Amino acid sequence: MKNFKTLFTLAVILLFSFSNAQKIGVIDTQYILDKMPQYKEAEARLNSQIDTWEQDIKNTQSQYEQKKSAFESEKVLLIGDQLKLREKEVLDLEKNIQTTLSLRFGKTGEINQLRANLVEPFQDQIYTALRAVIAKNGLGIVFDKNRDNVLSYEPRYDYTDKVLAVLLKGTEKEKEKKTNKK
């Protein structure tokens, strides 16, 4: 009888521990972002701004090249203050190009800040939808495939489509509200 109680207690403990095991899931945030039309629009606006900045840099660089070649060819004819003034113009233009490149395209440049500001609201939406999927499916841990921390996973644990469905369902409700107001 004592062995039966011990075995029964052990079985209950094992059963309880298996029932409380954490479920693990995987999502692909980049896939979700690519399926969100608002993100695509915002990304297109950002890419348009980047193209404008790149064109400005190209124009400034061509202007620099022209002034530099003109300065090199006229260098022999210039004397004193004229020489220093023209040389300063060329150097200032070169510094301007380097400063602009650093401010806009550097590690802490405007592009990186704009990209972070672009993604942040969508990440918040994904996180909210993810919380709903976690609550519904009883997940304990969720990994993101794009963060290079998932080495391998079973597709049955991929909850990307469920998170996307929650997000898109919210978007469809907003569209219905807008069309009903019109």
Side-chain angles (χ1 to χ4, degrees), residues 140-181:
I141 299 170
V142 178
F143 293 103
D144 184 359
K145 287 194 317 188
N146 291 325
R147 301 288 185 234
D148 296 331
N149 59 0
V150 175
L151 300 176
S152 177
Y153 76 98
E154 287 290 322
R156 67 180 179 199
Y157 298 118
D158 192 343
Y159 290 88
T160 303
D161 291 328
K162 291 182 180 183
V163 172
L164 185 60
V166 170
L167 277 171
L168 294 179
K169 189 161 88 173
T171 314
E172 290 171 3
K173 287 180 183 177
E174 289 176 13
K175 286 181 181 178
E176 287 176 14
K177 287 179 184 178
K178 289 180 182 178
T179 52
N180 289 340
K181 288 182 181 179

Side-chain angles (χ1 to χ4, degrees), residues 36-101:
M36 296 177 71
Q38 308 96 325
Y39 177 75
K40 287 182 180 179
E41 292 170 8
E43 191 174 38
R45 286 193 311 268
L46 177 65
N47 289 337
S48 172
Q49 181 64 49
I50 291 171
D51 291 343
T52 302
W53 286 343
E54 285 175 345
Q55 190 60 41
D56 289 345
I57 292 292
K58 286 179 184 176
N59 291 340
T60 307
Q61 284 177 332
S62 67
Q63 187 181 29
Y64 166 75
E65 293 297 327
Q66 289 173 353
K67 283 194 176 197
K68 184 177 178 183
S69 65
F71 171 71
E72 291 296 326
S73 63
E74 296 172 357
K75 191 175 186 179
V76 179
L77 302 173
L78 299 173
I79 55 171
D81 290 339
Q82 290 177 338
L83 179 67
K84 289 179 184 178
L85 181 65
R86 294 286 296 274
E87 187 176 23
K88 186 179 182 322
E89 283 179 15
V90 171
L91 290 174
D92 286 345
L93 201 52
E94 183 180 14
K95 284 181 184 178
N96 182 21
I97 292 170
Q98 290 172 351
T99 303
T100 304
L101 283 172

Side-chain angles (χ1 to χ4, degrees), residues 93-157:
L93 201 52
E94 183 180 14
K95 284 181 184 178
N96 182 21
I97 292 170
Q98 290 172 351
T99 303
T100 304
L101 283 172
S102 174
L103 288 174
R104 292 207 173 132
F105 300 98
K107 284 185 179 179
T108 59
E110 289 180 56
I111 287 178
N112 289 333
Q113 292 171 355
L114 286 174
R115 202 172 299 282
N117 292 341
L118 164 75
V119 172
E120 188 175 332
F122 298 106
Q123 285 176 332
D124 292 343
Q125 290 177 359
I126 291 171
Y127 182 74
T128 303
L130 178 62
R131 296 303 310 161
V133 170
I134 287 172
K136 183 177 179 181
N137 295 294
L139 299 175
I141 299 170
V142 178
F143 293 103
D144 184 359
K145 287 194 317 188
N146 291 325
R147 301 288 185 234
D148 296 331
N149 59 0
V150 175
L151 300 176
S152 177
Y153 76 98
E154 287 290 322
R156 67 180 179 199
Y157 298 118

